[in-house]
Each structure stands twice: as C-alpha cells, then as structure tokens.
Amino acid sequence: MERYFQKEIETASRDEIESLQSRLLVKQVQHVWNDVPYYRRKMEDKGVTPDDIKGIEDLHKLPFVSKADLRESYPYGLLGKPLKDCVRIHSTSGTTGKRVMAFYTQHDLDLWSDCTARAIVAAGGTDEDVCQVSYGYGLFTGGAGLDGGSHKVGCLTIPTSSGNTQRQIMFIKDLNATILCCTPSYAAYLAESMKEMDMGPDDIPLKAGIFGAEAWSESMRRDIEKTMGIKAYDIYGLTELSGPGVSFECSAQTGMHINEDHFIAEIIDPDTGEVLPAGSEGELVFTSLDKEAFPLLRYRTRDICTLSYEKCSCGRTFVKMSKPRGRSDDMLIIRGVNVFPSQIETVLLNKGYPANYQIIVGRENSTDTLDVHVEMTPEMFTDNLGEIEERQKALVDGLKSMLGIKAKVTLVAPKSIVRSEGKAVRVIDNRKI
C-alpha cells in the first residue's frame, strides 16, 4: 500500500495544484520585485511588473535566470531576505573560481525537509526505519537535505557523510540501517565492497536506497539492487533551488514527481527560450514558489528532459520529469560535483599552460575518474622526470582547489593532443551512463 508524507497535497487535483501555484507565484513575484533589486531590474528590462502576473498562465512573461546571473550577482545580489533572517548557506561550484551561493531561512529549511521527507516515504520509509545518510555534509546539499527529511519522517538517522567505506558497512550491519542515501556511484562501490566481504543481500538489513547528485543508468540501478537486495530510487535537485528533493521517484519508478506546491516546471527550447508543449523534450526550467532567502524565478537548469502529466499508479498527482538525458551546456557531474571545462582551462592558463588539453572521464570500481592531459609549451618541455612530476603535482593542487575534487594530471609533449578543424574535443566521457 502506497504511503504519503503529506497526502492531501501529494494527491491533490490538477485544478487544486494549479490554483495554489498561481496564488504562490503572484506572491513570489511581488517578493522579488520588492526585495531583490537585481531581479527587479531584469523585470524592468523586459517591461514586466507584478501587475502583469495574475497566475501561472503569465509565467512565460517573466525573464529567465541563469548561472551567469548567479555569478554576476555573487554573493548577495539575489538575496531576498536580510542576512539576519538567514540561518544557512549551501554552495556549489560555478564556471569560474566563484561559487554559486544559496541562502536559507528557517522556513526554507523546513519546506526543504518536507520535500526530502516525501522522497523517503515514497521509498517506503517510516518512523520505524534507520536511515543512513552517506552523502557529503557541509556546503554540499546532499547530506543536510536527506538528514532533514529523515528527521521529519522520524527515522533514526545515521549521519555518516561520505567516505570510510569499512565504517559505512559496519554501521549498516551493526545499526540495522534499512535505507541508504548517497550518490549512485558510491552505492555501487559499497555494494561491490560488500560482495568482496562475502556479504549477500540476506546479510544486509537495507531495503531501499535513495540515490542522486549524478547521472546513473538503469543497468547500474539493477546491479545495485541485485547486489544489495534493495529497491533503488532516484532523487533530483539543485543547490540553487534548495537541494535534493525538488523531485523524487515513487514505487512506480516511471519518472520523478516534482514537488509542485514548491516548484513550477517548464520545458523550453534551449536555443529560443520558447515554452514547449507537454510531452516535448527540451531544457528544464524551474520557478521556486515559496523560497524566501533565495527566490529564483524561471531558473534555467540546462538539464534536458520531458514532463509527463499522465496518471501515476502510486496515486500522486504531481507532474513527473524524466531522468535528464543530457545537458544543454558543457557541464559534467563527477562524483556529485559540477565540473566545467572552463574551470580547468582557467587553472591551466593561470599557471602558464596553453589551452591545449583533454579531459577524460571514466568510471572504475563504480567511482568516477577524472584525468586531464595537458600539453607543455616547447619552453617547458623537458625529459627531467622530477621536474615533470613537480609540475603535475602543482596542477593537481590547483585543480583540487578550483573543483573541490582530485584529478589525475598528465603532462604531455607539445602538439601531441590531436587538433580539430571544428570545435575542439575537450571532453571524452567514457562512462556508460
């Protein structure tokens, strides 16, 4: 029998959902007009005022917000509340050295926890469960997001964060963890480690996993489910909007239900910005309806997917988004971290290297790998291995500082990376996702 965390809204009629969205949208537009000068200027530039927005049918009149706006307004330009009313920040990496900052009031955190609680209940969670949160804690939204939802459901919460695999497995076994929350690649690594320890599904108390923050395939889902003896659920979110819990899978697993009482989803043509009809594939755009501290309207996610309003067997009436099929920009998600080639290029240029490089992404032991091949200039070229290793280490450190994750760097001879007559092939992604 399907359970709901907040049944009344999760099973509301389309008319009820859209009526609520219209009321919240009108209120939110007035909020950003009054309290976010940056966004007010964008509206004025487009010739739009709050009086033009009567409901969701007028959403298309509002300007888009993009990552470029977040960078331009860093750090406080899109803040919708005084700092004294904000209680938390989270952040994610941007395309330059500056990070994307997201701010939260206590009210924002409470609503975010409701969203992740819905995901946990949809995965079968109750106050009888033990939920092990193995997403990273800190500025990353994963750990804090699922932690809050787990508390709302009433689960016993184990905040292990990421890493220390042996301890993770010990806690799963000794504390009888029934729900695991982490990135899918880390779940696959845990599954493989358990297998190496001769632990089969019958030796593991887990019944469900909630995995997100990176792309993963259906074959990867099946492998994790078979090795751990669990049902694996997808969850989607963006730091800019709150974090994980913007949408989540139910037992039907035919898409992720968007929490429509908090977010409006649109699909647009990524080239023209035109809103596409239901069922069309295009770029996903989100409007945050009730976020106080960081209210983003018509935020372009760059994720390519479709929306479905078909009736779901789980009984939820929220629209479903498909698993994103790719991105309309060049961002990579590696081990749950946003990585842009331009970030890597910035580090190389700052250290005197030419813009001739290649990024090779792979997956070993269910974990993403990041290799960067960098050409030396003729002046740099040497057969002194000690000097090359020293240069490589300096680049590894520089990239770690910029990206927040470690990359393997290989310096190669001048002009050894194949040139392209068209657009340079900077990224080779060998992951099967």
Side-chain angles (χ1 to χ4, degrees), residues 384-401:
N384 185 322
L385 293 180
E387 186 176 332
I388 290 175
E389 286 174 2
E390 196 173 311
R391 284 182 171 275
Q392 288 177 166
K393 184 180 183 304
L395 282 176
V396 168
D397 293 342
L399 291 172
K400 177 76 181 293
S401 178

Side-chain angles (χ1 to χ4, degrees), residues 91-312:
S91 82
T92 183
S93 59
T95 57
T96 67
K98 291 181 178 177
R99 304 177 72 87
V100 170
M101 310 294 291
F103 299 82
Y104 304 74
T105 63
Q106 186 58 53
H107 180 67
D108 293 334
L109 293 178
D110 290 340
L111 296 185
W112 181 21
S113 294
D114 284 346
C115 290
T116 51
R118 292 174 188 175
I120 291 170
V121 172
T126 73
D127 57 6
E128 301 285 337
D129 281 291
V130 178
C131 185
Q132 183 155 319
V133 182
S134 301
Y135 285 108
Y137 281 67
L139 289 172
F140 178 55
T141 55
L146 272 300
D147 190 286
S150 179
H151 288 173
K152 282 255 182 167
V153 175
C155 302
L156 174 62
T157 308
I158 311 173
T160 51
S161 193
S162 54
N164 201 328
T165 301
Q166 294 303 312
R167 186 179 65 186
Q168 299 271 1
I169 295 171
M170 179 187 75
F171 280 162
I172 288 171
K173 211 166 158 43
D174 294 353
L175 300 178
N176 289 314
T178 51
I179 299 173
L180 174 66
C181 305
C182 62
T183 63
S185 60
Y186 191 56
Y189 182 62
L190 282 170
E192 190 61 35
S193 299
M194 290 174 182
K195 197 173 181 180
E196 291 171 359
M197 296 166 66
D198 293 324
M199 293 170 61
D202 293 340
D203 303 310
I204 304 165
L206 293 173
K207 68 177 186 182
I210 300 173
F211 307 134
E214 63 188 13
W216 55 308
S217 64
E218 285 303 310
S219 62
M220 188 174 181
R221 187 206 297 262
R222 289 191 295 271
D223 286 345
I224 294 170
E225 289 181 334
K226 182 180 177 183
T227 307
M228 287 188 168
I230 64 173
K231 188 162 184 173
Y233 295 79
D234 208 345
I235 190 169
Y236 174 91
L238 299 153
T239 299
E240 299 92 318
L241 293 171
S242 64
V246 172
S247 67
F248 61 92
E249 274 190 327
C250 63
S251 56
Q253 297 190 321
T254 53
M256 290 176 277
H257 288 284
I258 294 168
N259 282 307
E260 288 190 276
D261 51 333
H262 303 300
F263 309 100
I264 300 177
E266 302 172 272
I267 296 292
I268 66 167
D269 182 313
D271 296 321
T272 67
E274 176 191 2
V275 179
L276 300 176
S280 303
E281 182 175 271
E283 182 183 340
L284 183 61
V285 172
F286 275 116
T287 291
S288 174
L289 287 169
D290 46 19
K291 188 103 184 277
E292 294 181 332
F294 202 65
L296 293 187
L297 275 60
R298 302 198 82 198
Y299 180 68
R300 297 187 60 163
T301 68
R302 300 295 180 181
D303 284 324
I304 302 296
C305 69
T306 59
L307 298 178
S308 172
Y309 290 87
E310 290 181 10
K311 187 176 180 181
C312 185

